[in-house]
Amino acid sequence: MKTEESNGDCIQNIEAVQLNEVQVLEGHTDRVWGVAWNPVSGNGGAPCMLASCSGDKTLRIWENIPAPNTTSSSWVCKAVLEETHTRTVRSCAWSPNGKLLATASFDATTAIWENVGGDFECVASLEGHENEVKSVSWSPSGLLLATCGRDKSVWIWEVQPGNEFECVSVLQGHTQDVKMVQWHPLHEILISASYDNSIKVWVEDGDSDDWICVQTLGNSSSGHTSTVWGVSFNSSGDRMVSCSDDLTLKVWDTSARPAESSSDGSGP
């Protein structure tokens, strides 16, 4: 991965871009840490759905419901998922098929919720991190789940039949707590961002079936000089942006697969 300068070509008509508030959603009683759109809701006439997670230890499911005999609609809270996590729920993520929802909590667990006929049931609780779980992310196939935490580790879980989850790898490359994990949108390539100022790129080793770090983006490789808080890919996966406590964003060229990438400035 290499950094590139932003040239603003993607913004053509800046005067035409305007955001208007549609509705304020209230209900959480503490800081709201994360939101996530259900990736398949809104298709085939189904209402749009999103999830929010909070320091109040709950997850809320919101749906956009059309008003009768009008073209307007409003967001309503359809469910409050509680009494599972005992501390802040820091991150939430839908599986690619929209049927499962994963929530990462400071109580050191990751809960898996299944949408069964509109009712959400906690079908699994993943344990293993020593303390706060900071982030959770599904692979594009939906067959793998990644979590990370204050214990400096990244865990990769494999989805088994019957909503069972098996930990297939624990990645220990970071030297400080890991703030975020994010899968590439098309390939099973995992990115982790950390308080140690680095971004790491992980892939499965075909020979050993273990997961290895194939690139580290740090200060010596045009990386950030302070905590990396998050990363995000564009839909095609050929660009990634990272944000940091060093007051910068960095745009990375991710068009080459890790095995094809230059080793200049990289390495675990």
Side-chain angles (χ1 to χ4, degrees):
M1 296 184 182
K2 299 179 180 179
T3 53
E4 63 176 21
E5 297 295 329
S6 176
N7 57 22
D9 290 344
C10 60
I11 301 178
Q12 301 294 330
N13 299 303
I14 189 64
E15 291 87 1
V17 177
Q18 184 175 358
L19 300 180
N20 297 308
E21 180 184 295
V22 173
Q23 188 177 341
V24 177
L25 308 185
E26 296 179 321
H28 285 294
T29 59
D30 203 331
R31 178 180 301 163
V32 183
W33 280 105
V35 291
W37 290 99
N38 184 294
V40 299
S41 66
N43 297 333
C48 291
M49 180 186 298
L50 60 84
S52 59
C53 58
S54 168
D56 64 11
K57 311 172 191 176
T58 73
L59 182 79
R60 285 180 174 256
I61 306 298
W62 308 85
E63 283 190 358
N64 189 237
I65 306 299
N69 304 317
T70 69
T71 58
S72 63
S73 62
S74 62
W75 287 92
V76 298
C77 180
K78 297 293 291 184
V80 179
L81 311 184
E82 53 190 349
E83 299 181 356
T84 294
H85 290 300
T86 59
R87 293 185 62 192
T88 291
V89 185
R90 181 63 178 84
S91 174
C92 58
W94 296 94
S95 62
N97 64 9
K99 294 181 179 179
L100 297 177
L101 179 63
T103 54
S105 172
F106 284 3
D107 65 11
T109 70
T110 300
I112 308 297
W113 307 82
E114 184 177 16
N115 185 354
V116 182
D119 294 325
F120 285 81
E121 301 176 2
C122 183
V123 295
S125 181
L126 312 184
E127 300 180 358
H129 284 284
E130 296 177 5
N131 37 45
E132 292 100 322
V133 186
K134 299 292 184 72
S135 177
V136 60
S137 179
W138 296 88
S139 70
S141 68
L143 299 178
L144 297 172
L145 183 75
T147 60
C148 66
R150 188 180 175 186
D151 60 7
K152 310 173 189 177
S153 70
V154 174
W155 290 53
I156 297 179
W157 309 81
E158 186 175 67
V159 183
Q160 304 287 332
N163 289 323
E164 297 289 334
F165 289 76
E166 179 186 357
C167 178
V168 294
S169 193
V170 178
L171 313 179
Q172 300 281 5
H174 287 289
T175 59
Q176 298 291 336
D177 63 325
V178 188
K179 299 297 186 182
M180 186 177 186
V181 282
Q182 182 66 56
W183 292 92
H184 188 283
L186 303 178
H187 308 295
E188 290 188 346
I189 299 168
L190 182 64
I191 308 296
S192 58
S194 173
Y195 189 73
D196 65 12
N197 309 344
S198 75
I199 298 168
K200 288 184 178 289
V201 183
W202 307 87
V203 299
E204 187 176 22
D205 184 349
D207 295 330
S208 66
D209 292 329
D210 201 2
W211 287 76
I212 59 173
C213 178
V214 293
Q215 191 171 14
T216 297
L217 308 175
N219 190 29
S220 63
S221 54
S222 303
H224 290 287
T225 58
S226 190
T227 300
V228 186
W229 288 101
V231 296
S232 180
F233 283 95
N234 65 356
S235 59
S236 61
D238 63 354
R239 294 292 184 273
M240 183 185 79
V241 62
S242 56
C243 61
S244 170
D245 206 50
D246 64 12
L247 313 184
T248 69
L249 308 174
K250 288 182 179 287
V251 180
W252 303 86
D253 179 355
T254 54
S255 57
R257 297 286 290 274
E260 303 166 348
S261 299
S262 166
S263 61
D264 182 35
S266 67

